[in-house]
């Protein structure tokens, strides 16, 4: 989907954290007695023949795997190599414990997942999953179901982080049988959701999966199933996301995808959060020590047994919070789907276009820019029709608003939910930014609405209380929306120097590179909209800023913003009063020097930076010619 989806470990209800830690402490004490550390002691337990010893070792492995400071030590030991074959152990309880322990370890990202794959965990994991016959009517017991669930989550984490894991998944060729896991009536919503999450990951930019998915009737059917719960809505959204990942399905089902997501767009997440106030207040803080996420029950456990019969109220609260999490995850996925569906052909070919030679992209400073509004060129007609018919932009904007102060206070110590809420808002801001890039102002509600959105976002940004991710998303949307207003100078006629100085101050005090670049690019756009006295203030600031900028990419963006100001008007008086000819020549030398120093670090920004280099050389020549006249 173009966005990162991270799996977070949860603290399940009814499990005593102290008991888990006692297991680890017991092994640590045993290890000290035997002259080795806790990880070595776990390895010893895992190599014993007694089932209980192996379970104790895996239990301790799972708890240690959740402690970030222990991850490097685990990866530097023989623990993974020793534990991996236990995924295929003849004892079902051991398979369950091993899958849960590795799942816990896999949440720590690419480096850890690469290590697991390099140590051949995929062979045992795929063997474990292949052993499940999904043509049968459900699972034999809860333990078997939980093992499958842990294995699917582990495989998802590995495929999300490692191309090697995805290739191994492709070669295993059990995607067709895995699709049977979408049957939530047979396997339950939790299993169906976990399978859909995995398929969403492995279908992204993976053409090997597309033919199978395009030929499946399960995904379109899920779009039309009436949703009776937030979990069902999430499953529907996952199905829509998978279809969106498959080019043929995305084109054929655009209207159905967007229509199926409309119910999720109409639900107010802040109202849902407030309705769960008591459950959130009573929930344990995510800052507490996490505990094992696997079942340690034996095979005799039946489906009718309760995980925690003594605390029914707590179970109800957990179900409520789980439903809330499903809603937040589903609504975030909606934003990603709309973002991807709204990516025009021109955008999808951007990387290819950027490979063209530097001279092919050079701006001509003796000519005016082309008109700004490109409209919805390259977008399917039914996309635009459905967006307008369902008032998608309006609903996205409502969900991109800051949290109510009462909710902020409520979520202050609830890290897991708070993180989901923040990511949800960021996703909606990014989605709106993408729509600003591909739609005309009229399709976004008109120029006045776009201007009001820009002003509203500015007020949010200047409060100074946003975290970096939110502020970057806000300023990115501000930048895109402002570019739509280039033809409407009249909307900015009331802007004062004090207003302008707020933006300049934001750019001056910003330590985050991406946010600083957004502010600077907005100043470049405003330079083509404001009166000459204000334009002079902007030019003076950009000249000073670029002279101090150390980062090559930020410098190139600052120079590009400066050039934007002179793309429409010559401003000869500003050039003379600020002695720009000498200053831009100095900036060009500085830029070239930094380019020589950092040319090996350019990576994906290489084409952009070299384009600015060529354009700025022409800009300097253009100014020198004007100065001589």
């Amino acid at each position: 989907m173009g966005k990162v989806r991270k799996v977070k470990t949860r603290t399940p209800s009814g499990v005593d954290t102290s008991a888990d830690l006692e297991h680890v402490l017991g092994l640590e004490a045993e290890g000290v007695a035997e002259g080795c550390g806790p990880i070595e002691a776990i390895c010893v337990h895992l190599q014993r023949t007694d089932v209980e010893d192996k379970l104790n070792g895996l239990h301790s492995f799972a708890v240690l795997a959740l402690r970030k400071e222990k991850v490097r030590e685990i990866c530097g030991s023989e623990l993974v190599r020793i534990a991996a074959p236990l995924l295929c152990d003849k004892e079902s309880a051991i398979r369950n414990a091993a899958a849960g322990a590795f799942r816990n370890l896999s949440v720590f990202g690419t480096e850890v997942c690469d290590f697991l794959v390099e140590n051949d965990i995929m062979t045992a994991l795929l063997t474990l999953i292949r052993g499940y016959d999904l043509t049968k009517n459900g699972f034999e017991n809860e333990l078997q179901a939980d093992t499958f669930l842990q294995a699917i989550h582990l495989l998802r984490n590995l495929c999300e982080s490692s191309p090697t894991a995805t290739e191994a998944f492709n070669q295993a060729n059990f995607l067709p049988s895995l699709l049977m896991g979408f049957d939530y009536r047979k396997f339950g919503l939790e299993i169906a959701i976990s399978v859909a999450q995995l398929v969403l990951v492995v279908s992204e930019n993976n053409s090997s999966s597309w033919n199978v998915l395009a030929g499946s009737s399960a995904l379109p059917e899920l779009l039309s199933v009436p949703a009776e719960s937030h979990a069902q809505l999430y499953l529907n959204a996952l199905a829509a996301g998978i279809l969106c990942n498959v080019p043929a399905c995305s084109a054929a089902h655009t209207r159905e995808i967007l229509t199926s997501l409309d119910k999720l767009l109409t639900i107010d997440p802040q109202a849902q959060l407030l309705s769960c106030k008591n459950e959130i207040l009573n929930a344990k803080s995510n800052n507490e020590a996490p505990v094992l996420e696997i079942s340690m029950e034996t095979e005799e456990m039946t489906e009718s047994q309760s995980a925690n019969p003594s605390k029914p109220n707590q179970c109800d609260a957990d179900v409520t919070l789980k439903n809330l999490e499903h809603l937040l995850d589903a609504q975030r996925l909606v934003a990603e789907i709309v973002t991807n569906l709204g990516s025009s052909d021109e955008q999808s070919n951007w990387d290819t276009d950027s490979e063209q030679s530097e001279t092919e992209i050079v701006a001509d400073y003796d000519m005016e820019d082309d008109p700004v509004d490109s409209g919805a060129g390259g977008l399917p007609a039914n996309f635009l029709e459905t967006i307008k018919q369902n008032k998608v932009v309006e609903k996205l904007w409502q969900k991109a608003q800051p949290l109510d102060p009462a909710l902020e206070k409520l979520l202050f110590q609830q890290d897991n939910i708070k993180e989901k809420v923040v990511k949800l808002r960021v996703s909606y801001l990014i989605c709106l930014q993408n729509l600003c890039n591909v739609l005309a102002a009229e399709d976004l509600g008109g120029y006045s609405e776009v201007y009001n959105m820009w002003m509203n976002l500015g007020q949010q940004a200047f409060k100074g209380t946003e975290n970096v991710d939110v502020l970057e998303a806000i300023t990115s949307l501000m930048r895109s929306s402002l570019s739509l207003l280039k033809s409407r100078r009249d909307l900015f006629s009331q802007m004062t120097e004090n207003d302008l100085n707020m933006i300049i101050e934001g750019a001056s005090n910003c330590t985050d590179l991406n946010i600083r670049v957004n502010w600077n690019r907005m100043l470049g756009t405003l330079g083509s909209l404001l009166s000459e006295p204000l334009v002079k203030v902007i030019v003076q600031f950009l000249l000073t800023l670029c002279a101090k900028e150390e980062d090559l990419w930020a410098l190139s963006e600052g120079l590009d913003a400066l050039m934007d100001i002179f793309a429409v008007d010559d401003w000869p008086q500003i050039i003379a009063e600020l002695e720009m000819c000498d200053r831009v020549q100095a900036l060009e030398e500085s830029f070239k020097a930094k380019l020589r120093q950092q040319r090996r670090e350019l990576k994906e920004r290489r084409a952009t930076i070299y384009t600015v280099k060529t354009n700025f050389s022409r800009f300097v020549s253009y100014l020198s010619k004007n100065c001589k006249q």
Side-chain angles (χ1 to χ4, degrees):
M1 296 303 300
K3 304 288 183 293
V4 177
R5 292 170 291 275
K6 295 182 180 178
V7 178
K8 297 296 179 182
T9 54
R10 304 180 307 279
T11 302
S13 62
V15 185
D16 187 356
T17 306
S18 60
D20 292 309
L21 294 178
E22 283 175 8
H23 275 290
V24 179
L25 293 173
L27 281 185
E28 287 183 355
E30 185 177 328
V32 171
E34 297 179 0
C36 61
I39 292 178
E40 288 77 8
I42 292 172
C43 291
V44 171
H45 274 256
L46 296 184
Q47 294 177 91
R48 291 175 179 168
T49 57
D50 184 70
V51 172
E52 200 63 37
D53 278 339
K54 288 181 179 179
L55 285 176
N56 285 338
L58 288 169
H59 194 178
S60 300
F61 175 20
V63 176
L64 282 181
L66 287 173
R67 294 165 60 181
K68 191 173 184 179
E69 69 275 11
K70 290 289 185 180
V71 170
R72 186 169 295 278
E73 188 178 349
I74 290 173
C75 292
S77 70
E78 292 293 300
L79 180 53
V80 169
R81 183 187 63 79
I82 293 170
L86 298 180
L87 289 166
C88 301
D89 194 90
K90 63 180 181 179
E91 294 289 341
S92 58
I94 290 177
R95 296 196 299 271
N96 178 259
F102 278 117
R103 177 191 174 183
N104 287 351
L105 184 61
S106 69
V107 302
F108 288 105
T110 301
E111 187 176 349
V112 173
C113 288
D114 284 342
F115 174 80
L116 292 175
V117 173
E118 288 167 6
N119 280 266
D120 199 27
I121 193 176
M122 290 296 293
T123 300
L125 178 60
L126 293 175
T127 300
L128 170 62
I129 298 175
R130 192 180 286 111
Y132 283 87
D133 184 0
L134 299 183
T135 62
K136 294 183 177 179
N137 190 27
F139 297 100
E140 294 177 6
N141 52 51
E142 276 194 27
L143 185 66
Q144 187 187 46
D146 187 67
T147 304
F148 180 79
L149 183 68
Q150 302 300 330
I152 292 296
H153 278 301
L154 170 58
L155 182 57
R156 171 197 171 194
N157 291 349
L158 295 174
C159 290
E160 191 168 35
S161 298
S162 170
T164 305
T166 302
E167 183 58 33
F169 175 86
N170 290 340
Q171 292 176 2
N173 196 33
F174 56 67
L175 179 59
S177 62
L178 195 61
L179 294 181
M180 289 186 282
F182 286 164
D183 189 345
Y184 63 93
R185 298 177 185 88
K186 181 193 293 187
F187 300 107
L189 279 168
E190 190 172 12
I191 292 291
I193 286 171
S194 68
V195 170
Q197 288 173 327
L198 169 60
V199 177
L200 181 68
V201 168
V202 297
S203 62
E204 185 176 354
N205 301 320
N206 179 18
S207 58
S208 298
S209 68
W210 292 347
N211 283 339
V212 173
L213 294 170
S216 171
S217 61
L219 294 168
E221 287 173 2
L222 279 175
L223 294 184
S224 59
V225 173
E228 299 175 356
S229 67
H230 291 160
Q232 180 70 65
L233 283 170
Y234 186 28
L235 181 59
N236 292 6
L238 287 164
I242 295 166
L243 287 171
C244 189
N245 278 348
V246 183
C249 296
S250 177
H253 297 283
T254 298
R255 187 185 299 278
E256 292 86 347
I257 290 171
L258 288 172
T259 301
S260 72
L261 301 176
D262 189 57
K263 186 173 181 178
L264 273 169
L265 278 173
T266 60
I267 297 175
D268 182 357
Q270 297 205 32
Q272 294 293 316
L273 285 164
L274 285 172
S275 71
C276 300
K277 180 179 179 179
N278 291 334
E279 289 82 1
I280 293 172
L281 286 173
N282 293 329
K284 290 183 178 180
S285 170
N286 200 44
N287 291 327
E288 293 184 20
V291 297
L292 187 62
E293 268 209 2
I294 59 177
S295 169
M296 295 302 296
E297 302 296 333
T298 61
E299 288 185 274
E300 286 73 27
M301 177 173 150
T302 65
E303 290 185 12
S304 61
Q305 289 176 298
S306 171
N308 185 14
S310 62
K311 298 182 179 180
N313 291 337
Q314 183 61 45
C315 286
D316 290 342
D318 289 340
V319 170
T320 299
L321 290 177
K322 186 62 184 175
N323 275 329
L324 178 62
E325 289 186 14
H326 281 323
L327 173 65
L328 297 175
D329 288 337
Q331 289 195 323
R332 182 184 175 200
L333 184 54
V334 169
E336 295 178 6
I337 292 170
V338 176
T339 297
N340 284 344
L341 287 175
S343 297
S344 66
D345 293 337
E346 287 82 357
Q347 282 188 306
S348 62
N349 293 329
W350 186 89
D351 289 334
T352 304
D353 293 341
S354 67
E355 295 296 326
Q356 61 188 309
S357 68
E358 298 159 17
T359 55
E360 290 177 317
I361 334 172
V362 173
D364 188 342
Y365 287 94
D366 295 324
M367 299 176 63
E368 290 191 359
D369 284 348
D370 291 329
V372 178
D373 290 337
S374 58
L379 292 177
N382 54 6
F383 172 80
L384 182 56
E385 290 171 7
T386 310
I387 287 288
K388 295 169 74 172
Q389 180 180 339
N390 294 347
K391 299 181 179 179
V392 170
V393 173
E394 179 182 325
K395 293 172 183 176
L396 291 171
W397 175 243
Q398 290 171 352
K399 289 174 177 55
Q401 298 309 301
L403 272 182
D404 183 274
L407 274 176
E408 282 195 6
K409 185 178 180 181
L410 176 64
L411 299 179
F412 180 70
Q413 288 187 323
Q414 307 305 324
D415 291 348
N416 187 43
I417 298 177
K418 183 178 180 181
E419 182 181 21
K420 287 182 180 293
V421 170
V422 169
K423 288 183 176 180
L424 175 64
R425 186 180 176 204
V426 168
S427 295
Y428 277 92
L429 289 166
I430 291 173
C431 184
L432 283 166
Q433 179 202 357
N434 185 73
L435 292 179
C436 282
N437 290 338
V438 299
L439 299 182
E442 290 83 354
D443 298 322
L444 294 164
Y447 286 103
S448 294
E449 286 299 316
V450 174
Y451 175 77
N452 290 336
M453 178 172 67
W454 184 77
M455 291 292 291
N456 189 294
L457 289 166
Q459 292 169 4
Q460 295 176 27
F462 294 139
K463 287 182 179 179
T465 58
E466 302 287 355
N467 71 22
V468 171
D469 291 334
V470 174
L471 189 55
E472 181 183 347
I474 285 175
T475 53
S476 295
L477 177 52
M478 288 181 70
R479 173 179 168 180
S480 294
S481 59
L482 183 61
S483 68
L484 286 170
L485 302 172
K486 281 186 177 180
S487 62
R488 295 297 303 269
R489 286 192 177 191
D490 56 298
L491 293 172
F492 298 86
S493 59
Q494 302 299 317
M495 193 167 189
T496 66
E497 187 168 346
N498 286 337
D499 298 328
L500 182 59
N501 283 334
M502 291 180 69
I503 298 178
I504 288 175
E505 185 178 348
S508 302
N509 299 332
C510 183
T511 57
D512 182 87
L513 198 62
N514 293 314
I515 298 172
R516 187 162 74 247
V517 165
N518 283 336
W519 285 127
N520 293 341
R521 293 312 301 248
M522 277 189 273
L523 287 169
T525 302
L526 287 171
S528 65
L529 292 168
L530 302 179
S531 60
E532 185 165 356
L534 297 182
V535 173
K536 181 180 177 181
V537 173
I538 295 173
V539 172
Q540 173 65 31
F541 171 74
L542 289 175
L543 288 169
T544 303
L545 179 84
C546 289
K548 297 177 180 178
E549 184 60 68
E550 292 297 326
D551 183 85
L552 179 62
W553 174 64
L555 174 58
S556 70
E557 292 287 340
L559 295 178
D560 208 27
L562 183 64
M563 290 186 285
D564 283 346
I565 297 173
F566 292 87
V568 177
D569 293 297
D570 290 338
W571 304 115
Q573 188 171 344
I574 292 177
I575 294 173
E577 290 178 358
L578 297 182
E579 299 177 343
M580 280 190 62
C581 291
D582 293 336
R583 296 174 74 174
V584 295
Q585 288 175 2
L587 286 175
E588 183 182 22
E589 291 304 315
S590 174
F591 183 65
K592 289 179 178 178
K594 285 183 172 61
L595 184 56
R596 286 192 294 270
Q597 295 167 0
Q598 303 177 35
R599 66 181 182 276
R600 299 184 185 278
E601 305 168 14
L602 304 182
K603 297 181 181 178
E604 70 277 1
R605 289 170 174 159
R606 178 183 178 84
T608 301
I609 291 173
Y610 270 94
T611 298
V612 173
K613 172 181 175 290
T614 305
N615 282 349
F616 196 66
S617 293
R618 293 191 64 180
F619 180 65
V620 172
S621 299
Y622 160 75
L623 285 186
S624 298
K625 187 189 304 181
N626 280 13
C627 288
K628 290 176 182 177
Q629 294 174 354

